[in-house]
Amino acid sequence: MLIVLPKGRLLPELKNLLEKIGISFNNSSRKLVIDTSIKGVKVAILRSWDIPKFVNKGIADMGFVGKDVLNEIEDEQNFYESIDTKLGKCRLSLASLKKTASNKPVVATKYPVSAKAFFATKMQNVEIINLKGAIEIAPILGLSDYIVDLVQTGSTLKENGLSEIEVIQNISTRLIINKSSFKTNNQKIQKIIFSIKDSLNAKVKN
């Protein structure tokens, strides 16, 4: 069984969560696929955007990934979204330097699917520019009127003179499970799911 985890700030929290249910591992080496304390269970640490692809293809049995990434998937999903871990909480928000009166405003974002869906609910025609770097610079340099991006504290927006206009969706990390793996390895996967739920519930109570 292979569990995929995201690189970055969330990895220590997810590693701690797995350790609490008896799945410990050492990620200090350069190994790409890491053995765990449970025989037959391995982990791999990937970029968040790649995690759904590995789970979707059944290469990984389960993985942890942000709802922001899941929202952007347009292919058929061959996985279940099992648990909202409530970890890595932030929000996907609309922000700008100032409210624009343009008939067709330009929106810069890493999340074009979410942005299009949001403006569709507003019945507003916009041009979406898909960027991969620091989104905040787009309205500052005049590339866009708005941005749609993840916000945690809002301090980066304020430091750059941007205002958060509307929260589009609250975001957190989800556990996803390959559909075929869930059928063929159901007992082991169910045990992990229940253990994670128990651990998260205990954390909430404390």
Side-chain angles (χ1 to χ4, degrees), residues 125-203:
N125 190 21
V126 297
E127 177 186 349
I128 305 288
I129 297 178
N130 192 1
L131 295 183
K132 296 299 183 187
I135 305 300
E136 293 86 0
I137 201 167
I140 294 170
L141 296 183
L143 180 65
S144 71
D145 301 298
Y146 296 110
I147 64 169
V148 170
D149 202 11
L150 290 184
V151 178
Q152 284 182 288
T153 64
S155 59
T156 302
L157 292 178
K158 289 177 183 177
E159 285 175 11
N160 289 284
L162 295 163
S163 299
E164 190 173 2
I165 297 169
E166 187 172 344
V167 175
I168 296 172
Q169 185 182 16
N170 289 312
I171 301 294
S172 56
T173 301
R174 312 300 169 97
L175 174 66
I176 59 173
I177 299 167
N178 177 268
K179 290 180 178 179
S180 297
S181 297
F182 189 74
K183 291 177 183 176
T184 59
N185 211 355
N186 185 267
Q187 191 171 355
K188 185 177 281 188
I189 288 175
Q190 287 279 28
K191 184 178 179 181
I192 291 173
I193 290 172
F194 289 135
S195 297
I196 289 173
K197 285 182 176 178
D198 286 344
S199 179
L200 292 170
N201 288 336
K203 183 179 177 182

Coordinates of all heavy atoms in Angstrom, one line a residue, residues 125-203:
N125 N -18.9 38.1 -16.9 CA -18.0 37.7 -18.0 C -16.6 38.2 -17.6 O -16.4 39.4 -17.4 CB -18.4 38.3 -19.3 CG -17.6 37.7 -20.5 OD1 -17.0 36.6 -20.3 ND2 -17.6 38.4 -21.6
V126 N -15.6 37.3 -17.5 CA -14.3 37.7 -17.1 C -13.3 37.0 -18.0 O -13.6 36.0 -18.6 CB -13.9 37.4 -15.6 CG1 -14.8 38.1 -14.7 CG2 -14.0 35.9 -15.4
E127 N -12.1 37.5 -18.0 CA -10.9 36.9 -18.7 C -10.0 36.3 -17.6 O -9.6 37.0 -16.7 CB -10.1 37.9 -19.6 CG -8.9 37.2 -20.2 CD -8.0 38.3 -20.9 OE1 -8.4 39.4 -21.1 OE2 -6.9 37.9 -21.3
I128 N -9.7 35.0 -17.7 CA -8.9 34.3 -16.7 C -7.5 34.2 -17.2 O -7.3 33.7 -18.4 CB -9.5 32.9 -16.4 CG1 -11.0 33.0 -15.9 CG2 -8.6 32.2 -15.3 CD1 -11.2 33.6 -14.6
I129 N -6.5 34.6 -16.5 CA -5.1 34.4 -16.8 C -4.6 33.4 -15.7 O -4.6 33.7 -14.5 CB -4.3 35.7 -16.7 CG1 -4.8 36.7 -17.8 CG2 -2.8 35.5 -16.9 CD1 -4.1 38.0 -17.8
N130 N -4.0 32.3 -16.2 CA -3.5 31.3 -15.3 C -2.0 31.5 -15.1 O -1.2 31.4 -16.0 CB -3.7 29.9 -16.0 CG -3.4 28.7 -15.1 OD1 -3.1 28.9 -13.9 ND2 -3.5 27.5 -15.6
L131 N -1.7 31.9 -13.8 CA -0.4 32.1 -13.4 C 0.1 31.0 -12.4 O -0.7 30.5 -11.7 CB -0.2 33.5 -12.7 CG -0.5 34.7 -13.6 CD1 -0.2 36.0 -12.8 CD2 0.4 34.8 -14.8
K132 N 1.4 30.8 -12.3 CA 1.9 29.8 -11.4 C 2.8 30.4 -10.3 O 3.1 29.8 -9.3 CB 2.8 28.8 -12.2 CG 2.0 28.0 -13.2 CD 0.9 27.1 -12.5 CE 0.2 26.3 -13.5 NZ -1.0 25.6 -12.9
G133 N 3.2 31.7 -10.5 CA 4.1 32.3 -9.5 C 3.3 33.1 -8.5 O 2.1 32.8 -8.1
A134 N 3.9 34.2 -7.9 CA 3.2 35.0 -7.0 C 2.1 35.8 -7.6 O 2.3 36.7 -8.5 CB 4.2 36.0 -6.4
I135 N 0.9 35.5 -7.2 CA -0.3 36.0 -7.9 C -0.5 37.5 -7.5 O -1.0 38.3 -8.3 CB -1.6 35.2 -7.5 CG1 -1.4 33.7 -7.8 CG2 -2.8 35.7 -8.3 CD1 -1.1 33.4 -9.2
E136 N -0.1 37.9 -6.3 CA -0.3 39.2 -5.9 C 0.2 40.3 -6.8 O -0.3 41.5 -6.8 CB 0.2 39.4 -4.5 CG -0.5 38.6 -3.4 CD 0.1 37.2 -3.2 OE1 1.0 36.9 -4.0 OE2 -0.4 36.5 -2.4
I137 N 1.3 40.0 -7.5 CA 1.9 41.0 -8.3 C 1.1 41.4 -9.6 O 1.3 42.4 -10.2 CB 3.4 40.5 -8.7 CG1 4.2 41.8 -9.1 CG2 3.3 39.5 -9.8 CD1 5.7 41.4 -9.2
A138 N 0.2 40.5 -10.0 CA -0.5 40.7 -11.2 C -1.3 42.0 -11.2 O -1.2 42.8 -12.2 CB -1.5 39.5 -11.5
P139 N -2.1 42.3 -10.2 CA -2.8 43.6 -10.2 C -1.9 44.8 -10.0 O -2.1 45.9 -10.5 CB -3.9 43.5 -9.1 CG -3.4 42.4 -8.2 CD -2.6 41.5 -9.1
I140 N -0.8 44.6 -9.2 CA 0.1 45.7 -8.9 C 0.8 46.2 -10.2 O 1.0 47.4 -10.4 CB 1.2 45.2 -7.9 CG1 0.5 44.9 -6.6 CG2 2.3 46.2 -7.8 CD1 1.4 44.2 -5.6
L141 N 1.1 45.2 -11.1 CA 1.8 45.6 -12.4 C 0.8 45.8 -13.5 O 1.2 46.1 -14.6 CB 2.8 44.5 -12.8 CG 4.0 44.3 -11.8 CD1 4.9 43.2 -12.3 CD2 4.7 45.6 -11.6
G142 N -0.5 45.7 -13.2 CA -1.5 46.0 -14.2 C -1.9 44.9 -15.1 O -2.5 45.1 -16.2
L143 N -1.5 43.6 -14.8 CA -1.8 42.5 -15.6 C -3.3 42.1 -15.4 O -3.9 41.6 -16.3 CB -0.9 41.3 -15.3 CG -1.1 40.0 -16.1 CD1 -0.8 40.2 -17.6 CD2 -0.3 38.9 -15.5
S144 N -3.8 42.3 -14.2 CA -5.2 41.9 -13.9 C -5.9 42.9 -13.0 O -5.2 43.7 -12.4 CB -5.2 40.5 -13.2 OG -4.7 40.6 -11.9
D145 N -7.2 42.8 -13.0 CA -8.0 43.6 -12.1 C -8.2 42.9 -10.8 O -8.2 43.6 -9.7 CB -9.4 43.9 -12.8 CG -9.3 44.6 -14.1 OD1 -8.8 45.7 -14.1 OD2 -9.7 44.0 -15.1
Y146 N -8.4 41.6 -10.8 CA -8.6 40.8 -9.6 C -7.6 39.7 -9.6 O -6.9 39.3 -10.6 CB -10.0 40.1 -9.6 CG -11.1 41.1 -9.6 CD1 -12.0 41.2 -10.7 CD2 -11.5 41.8 -8.4 CE1 -13.1 42.1 -10.7 CE2 -12.6 42.6 -8.4 CZ -13.4 42.7 -9.5 OH -14.5 43.6 -9.5
I147 N -7.5 39.1 -8.4 CA -6.8 37.8 -8.2 C -7.7 36.8 -7.5 O -8.6 37.3 -6.7 CB -5.4 37.9 -7.5 CG1 -5.6 38.3 -6.0 CG2 -4.5 38.7 -8.3 CD1 -4.4 38.2 -5.2
V148 N -7.6 35.6 -7.7 CA -8.3 34.5 -6.9 C -7.1 33.7 -6.4 O -6.4 33.0 -7.2 CB -9.2 33.7 -7.7 CG1 -9.7 32.5 -7.0 CG2 -10.4 34.5 -8.2
D149 N -7.0 33.7 -5.1 CA -5.8 33.0 -4.5 C -6.1 32.5 -3.1 O -7.1 32.9 -2.5 CB -4.6 33.9 -4.5 CG -3.3 33.1 -4.4 OD1 -3.3 31.9 -4.6 OD2 -2.2 33.8 -4.2
L150 N -5.2 31.6 -2.6 CA -5.4 31.2 -1.2 C -4.9 32.3 -0.2 O -3.9 33.0 -0.4 CB -4.5 29.9 -0.9 CG -5.0 28.6 -1.6 CD1 -4.1 27.5 -1.2 CD2 -6.4 28.3 -1.3
V151 N -5.7 32.4 0.9 CA -5.4 33.4 1.9 C -5.4 32.7 3.2 O -6.3 31.9 3.5 CB -6.4 34.6 1.9 CG1 -6.1 35.6 3.0 CG2 -6.5 35.2 0.5
Q152 N -4.4 33.0 4.0 CA -4.4 32.4 5.4 C -4.6 33.6 6.4 O -5.7 33.6 7.0 CB -3.0 31.8 5.7 CG -2.9 30.4 5.1 CD -1.5 29.8 5.4 OE1 -0.5 30.2 4.9 NE2 -1.6 28.8 6.2
T153 N -3.7 34.5 6.6 CA -3.9 35.6 7.5 C -4.3 36.9 6.8 O -4.9 37.7 7.4 CB -2.6 35.9 8.3 OG1 -1.6 36.3 7.4 CG2 -2.1 34.6 9.0
G154 N -4.0 37.0 5.5 CA -4.3 38.2 4.8 C -3.2 39.2 4.9 O -3.3 40.3 4.3
S155 N -2.1 38.9 5.6 CA -1.1 39.9 5.8 C -0.3 40.2 4.5 O 0.1 41.3 4.2 CB -0.1 39.4 6.8 OG 0.5 38.2 6.5
T156 N -0.1 39.2 3.6 CA 0.5 39.4 2.3 C -0.3 40.3 1.4 O 0.3 41.2 0.8 CB 0.8 38.0 1.6 OG1 1.5 37.2 2.5 CG2 1.5 38.2 0.3
L157 N -1.6 40.1 1.5 CA -2.5 41.0 0.7 C -2.3 42.5 1.2 O -2.1 43.4 0.4 CB -3.9 40.6 0.8 CG -4.3 39.3 0.2 CD1 -5.8 39.0 0.4 CD2 -4.1 39.3 -1.3
K158 N -2.4 42.7 2.5 CA -2.3 44.0 3.1 C -1.0 44.7 2.8 O -0.9 45.9 2.4 CB -2.6 43.9 4.6 CG -4.0 43.6 4.9 CD -4.2 43.5 6.4 CE -5.6 43.1 6.8 NZ -5.8 42.9 8.2
E159 N 0.1 43.9 2.9 CA 1.4 44.4 2.7 C 1.6 44.9 1.2 O 2.4 45.8 0.9 CB 2.5 43.4 3.0 CG 2.7 43.2 4.5 CD 3.7 42.0 4.7 OE1 4.3 41.6 3.8 OE2 3.8 41.6 5.9
N160 N 0.8 44.4 0.3 CA 0.9 44.7 -1.1 C -0.3 45.6 -1.6 O -0.5 45.8 -2.8 CB 1.0 43.5 -2.0 CG 2.3 42.8 -1.8 OD1 3.3 43.2 -2.3 ND2 2.4 41.7 -1.0
G161 N -1.0 46.1 -0.6 CA -2.1 47.1 -0.9 C -3.3 46.5 -1.5 O -4.2 47.1 -2.1
L162 N -3.5 45.1 -1.3 CA -4.6 44.4 -1.9 C -5.7 44.2 -0.8 O -5.4 44.1 0.4 CB -4.2 43.1 -2.4 CG -3.3 43.1 -3.7 CD1 -2.7 41.7 -3.9 CD2 -4.1 43.5 -4.9
S163 N -6.9 44.2 -1.2 CA -8.1 44.0 -0.3 C -8.8 42.7 -0.6 O -9.0 42.4 -1.8 CB -9.0 45.1 -0.3 OG -8.4 46.4 0.0
E164 N -9.1 41.9 0.4 CA -9.9 40.7 0.2 C -11.4 41.1 0.1 O -12.0 41.7 1.0 CB -9.7 39.8 1.4 CG -10.3 38.4 1.3 CD -9.9 37.5 2.4 OE1 -9.2 38.0 3.4 OE2 -10.3 36.3 2.4
I165 N -11.9 40.8 -1.1 CA -13.3 41.2 -1.4 C -14.3 40.2 -1.0 O -15.4 40.6 -0.4 CB -13.4 41.5 -2.9 CG1 -12.5 42.6 -3.3 CG2 -14.9 41.8 -3.3 CD1 -12.4 42.8 -4.8
E166 N -14.1 38.9 -1.2 CA -15.0 37.9 -0.9 C -14.4 36.6 -0.8 O -13.4 36.2 -1.5 CB -16.1 37.8 -2.1 CG -17.2 36.9 -1.8 CD -18.3 37.0 -2.8 OE1 -18.4 37.9 -3.6 OE2 -19.2 36.0 -2.8
V167 N -14.8 35.8 0.2 CA -14.3 34.4 0.4 C -15.1 33.5 -0.5 O -16.4 33.5 -0.5 CB -14.5 33.9 1.8 CG1 -14.1 32.5 2.0 CG2 -13.6 34.8 2.8
I168 N -14.4 32.8 -1.4 CA -15.1 31.9 -2.4 C -15.4 30.6 -1.7 O -16.4 30.0 -1.8 CB -14.2 31.7 -3.6 CG1 -14.1 33.1 -4.4 CG2 -14.8 30.7 -4.5 CD1 -13.1 33.1 -5.5
Q169 N -14.4 30.0 -1.0 CA -14.5 28.7 -0.3 C -13.5 28.6 0.8 O -12.3 29.0 0.6 CB -14.4 27.6 -1.3 CG -14.7 26.2 -0.7 CD -14.5 25.1 -1.8 OE1 -13.8 25.3 -2.8 NE2 -15.0 23.9 -1.5
N170 N -13.9 28.0 1.9 CA -13.0 27.6 2.9 C -12.3 26.3 2.5 O -12.9 25.4 2.0 CB -13.7 27.4 4.3 CG -14.1 28.7 4.8 OD1 -13.4 29.7 4.9 ND2 -15.4 28.8 5.3
I171 N -11.0 26.2 2.7 CA -10.1 25.1 2.2 C -9.5 24.4 3.3 O -9.1 25.0 4.3 CB -9.0 25.7 1.2 CG1 -9.7 26.5 0.1 CG2 -8.1 24.6 0.8 CD1 -10.5 25.6 -0.9
S172 N -9.3 23.1 3.2 CA -8.6 22.3 4.2 C -8.1 21.0 3.4 O -8.4 20.8 2.3 CB -9.5 21.9 5.4 OG -10.6 21.2 4.9
T173 N -7.3 20.2 4.1 CA -6.7 19.0 3.6 C -7.6 17.8 3.6 O -8.2 17.6 4.7 CB -5.4 18.7 4.2 OG1 -4.5 19.9 4.1 CG2 -4.7 17.5 3.6
R174 N -7.8 17.1 2.5 CA -8.7 16.0 2.5 C -7.9 14.7 2.2 O -6.8 14.7 1.6 CB -9.7 16.1 1.3 CG -10.4 17.5 1.3 CD -11.1 17.8 2.5 NE -11.6 19.2 2.6 CZ -12.8 19.6 2.3 NH1 -13.7 18.7 1.8 NH2 -13.1 20.9 2.4
L175 N -8.4 13.6 2.7 CA -7.9 12.3 2.4 C -8.6 11.7 1.2 O -9.9 11.6 1.3 CB -8.0 11.3 3.6 CG -7.6 9.8 3.4 CD1 -6.2 9.7 3.1 CD2 -8.0 9.0 4.5
I176 N -7.9 11.3 0.2 CA -8.6 10.7 -1.0 C -8.1 9.3 -1.2 O -6.9 9.0 -0.8 CB -8.3 11.5 -2.3 CG1 -6.8 11.7 -2.6 CG2 -9.0 12.9 -2.2 CD1 -6.6 12.3 -4.0
I177 N -9.0 8.4 -1.7 CA -8.7 7.0 -1.8 C -9.1 6.5 -3.1 O -10.2 6.7 -3.6 CB -9.5 6.2 -0.7 CG1 -9.1 6.7 0.7 CG2 -9.2 4.7 -0.8 CD1 -10.0 6.2 1.8
N178 N -8.1 5.8 -3.8 CA -8.4 5.2 -5.1 C -9.6 4.2 -5.0 O -9.6 3.4 -4.1 CB -7.2 4.5 -5.6 CG -7.4 3.8 -6.9 OD1 -7.7 2.6 -7.0 ND2 -7.2 4.6 -8.0
K179 N -10.5 4.3 -5.9 CA -11.7 3.5 -5.9 C -11.4 2.0 -6.0 O -12.0 1.2 -5.3 CB -12.7 3.9 -7.0 CG -13.3 5.2 -6.8 CD -14.3 5.6 -7.9 CE -15.0 7.0 -7.7 NZ -15.9 7.3 -8.8
S180 N -10.5 1.6 -6.9 CA -10.1 0.2 -7.0 C -9.4 -0.3 -5.8 O -9.7 -1.4 -5.3 CB -9.3 0.0 -8.2 OG -9.9 0.4 -9.4
S181 N -8.6 0.5 -5.2 CA -7.8 0.1 -4.0 C -8.8 -0.1 -2.8 O -8.7 -1.0 -2.0 CB -6.8 1.2 -3.6 OG -5.8 1.3 -4.6
F182 N -9.8 0.7 -2.8 CA -10.8 0.6 -1.7 C -11.6 -0.7 -1.8 O -11.9 -1.3 -0.7 CB -11.8 1.8 -1.8 CG -12.7 1.9 -0.6 CD1 -12.3 2.4 0.6 CD2 -14.1 1.5 -0.7 CE1 -13.1 2.5 1.7 CE2 -14.9 1.6 0.4 CZ -14.5 2.1 1.6
K183 N -11.8 -1.2 -3.0 CA -12.4 -2.5 -3.1 C -11.5 -3.7 -2.8 O -11.9 -4.6 -2.1 CB -13.0 -2.6 -4.6 CG -14.1 -1.7 -4.9 CD -14.6 -1.8 -6.3 CE -15.7 -0.8 -6.7 NZ -16.1 -0.9 -8.1
T184 N -10.3 -3.6 -3.4 CA -9.4 -4.8 -3.3 C -8.6 -4.8 -1.9 O -8.2 -5.9 -1.5 CB -8.3 -4.7 -4.4 OG1 -7.6 -3.5 -4.3 CG2 -9.0 -4.8 -5.8
N185 N -8.5 -3.7 -1.3 CA -7.8 -3.7 0.0 C -8.6 -3.0 1.1 O -8.1 -2.2 1.9 CB -6.5 -2.9 -0.2 CG -5.3 -3.4 0.7 OD1 -5.5 -4.3 1.5 ND2 -4.2 -2.8 0.5
N186 N -9.9 -3.3 1.1 CA -10.9 -2.6 1.9 C -10.6 -2.7 3.4 O -10.7 -1.7 4.0 CB -12.3 -3.2 1.6 CG -13.3 -2.4 2.3 OD1 -13.7 -2.8 3.4 ND2 -13.8 -1.3 1.7
Q187 N -10.2 -3.9 3.9 CA -10.1 -4.0 5.3 C -9.0 -3.1 5.9 O -9.2 -2.5 6.9 CB -9.8 -5.5 5.6 CG -9.9 -5.8 7.1 CD -9.9 -7.3 7.4 OE1 -9.8 -8.1 6.5 NE2 -9.8 -7.6 8.7
K188 N -7.8 -3.2 5.2 CA -6.7 -2.4 5.6 C -7.0 -0.9 5.5 O -6.7 -0.1 6.4 CB -5.4 -2.7 4.8 CG -4.2 -2.0 5.3 CD -2.9 -2.5 4.6 CE -2.5 -3.8 5.1 NZ -1.1 -4.2 4.5
I189 N -7.6 -0.5 4.4 CA -7.9 0.9 4.2 C -9.0 1.4 5.2 O -8.8 2.5 5.8 CB -8.4 1.2 2.7 CG1 -7.2 1.0 1.8 CG2 -9.0 2.6 2.6 CD1 -7.6 1.1 0.3
Q190 N -10.0 0.6 5.4 CA -11.0 1.0 6.4 C -10.4 1.2 7.8 O -10.8 2.1 8.6 CB -12.1 -0.1 6.5 CG -13.0 0.0 5.3 CD -14.1 1.0 5.3 OE1 -13.9 2.1 6.0 NE2 -15.2 0.8 4.7
K191 N -9.5 0.3 8.2 CA -8.8 0.4 9.5 C -8.1 1.7 9.6 O -8.1 2.4 10.6 CB -7.9 -0.8 9.7 CG -7.2 -0.8 11.0 CD -6.3 -2.0 11.2 CE -5.6 -2.0 12.6 NZ -4.7 -3.1 12.7
I192 N -7.4 2.1 8.5 CA -6.6 3.4 8.5 C -7.6 4.6 8.6 O -7.4 5.5 9.4 CB -5.8 3.5 7.3 CG1 -4.6 2.5 7.3 CG2 -5.2 5.0 7.1 CD1 -3.7 2.4 6.1
I193 N -8.7 4.5 7.9 CA -9.7 5.6 7.9 C -10.3 5.8 9.3 O -10.3 6.9 9.8 CB -10.9 5.3 6.9 CG1 -10.4 5.4 5.4 CG2 -12.0 6.3 7.1 CD1 -11.4 4.9 4.4
F194 N -10.7 4.7 9.9 CA -11.3 4.8 11.2 C -10.3 5.3 12.3 O -10.6 6.1 13.1 CB -11.8 3.4 11.7 CG -13.1 3.0 10.9 CD1 -13.2 1.7 10.5 CD2 -14.1 3.9 10.7 CE1 -14.4 1.3 9.8 CE2 -15.3 3.5 10.1 CZ -15.4 2.2 9.6
S195 N -9.0 4.8 12.1 CA -8.0 5.3 13.0 C -7.7 6.8 12.9 O -7.6 7.5 13.9 CB -6.7 4.5 12.8 OG -6.8 3.1 13.1
I196 N -7.7 7.3 11.7 CA -7.5 8.7 11.4 C -8.7 9.5 12.0 O -8.5 10.5 12.6 CB -7.3 9.0 9.9 CG1 -6.0 8.5 9.4 CG2 -7.4 10.5 9.6 CD1 -5.8 8.5 7.9
K197 N -9.9 9.0 11.8 CA -11.1 9.7 12.3 C -11.0 9.8 13.8 O -11.3 10.8 14.4 CB -12.3 9.0 11.8 CG -12.7 9.3 10.4 CD -14.0 8.6 10.0 CE -14.4 8.9 8.6 NZ -15.7 8.2 8.2
D198 N -10.7 8.7 14.4 CA -10.6 8.6 15.9 C -9.5 9.6 16.4 O -9.8 10.3 17.4 CB -10.2 7.2 16.4 CG -11.4 6.3 16.3 OD1 -12.6 6.8 16.1 OD2 -11.2 5.0 16.3
S199 N -8.4 9.7 15.7 CA -7.3 10.6 16.1 C -7.7 12.0 16.0 O -7.5 12.9 16.9 CB -6.1 10.3 15.3 OG -5.0 11.2 15.7
L200 N -8.4 12.3 14.9 CA -8.8 13.7 14.7 C -9.9 14.1 15.6 O -10.0 15.2 16.1 CB -9.3 13.9 13.2 CG -8.3 13.8 12.1 CD1 -8.9 13.7 10.7 CD2 -7.3 14.9 12.2
N201 N -10.8 13.2 15.9 CA -11.9 13.5 16.9 C -11.3 13.7 18.3 O -11.8 14.6 19.1 CB -12.9 12.3 16.9 CG -13.8 12.3 15.7 OD1 -14.0 13.3 15.0 ND2 -14.3 11.1 15.4
A202 N -10.3 12.9 18.7 CA -9.7 13.1 20.0 C -9.0 14.4 20.1 O -9.0 15.1 21.1 CB -8.7 11.9 20.2
K203 N -8.4 14.9 18.9 CA -7.7 16.2 18.9 C -8.7 17.3 19.1 O -8.5 18.3 19.9 CB -7.0 16.4 17.6 CG -6.3 17.6 17.5 CD -5.6 17.7 16.1 CE -4.8 19.1 16.0 NZ -4.2 19.2 14.6

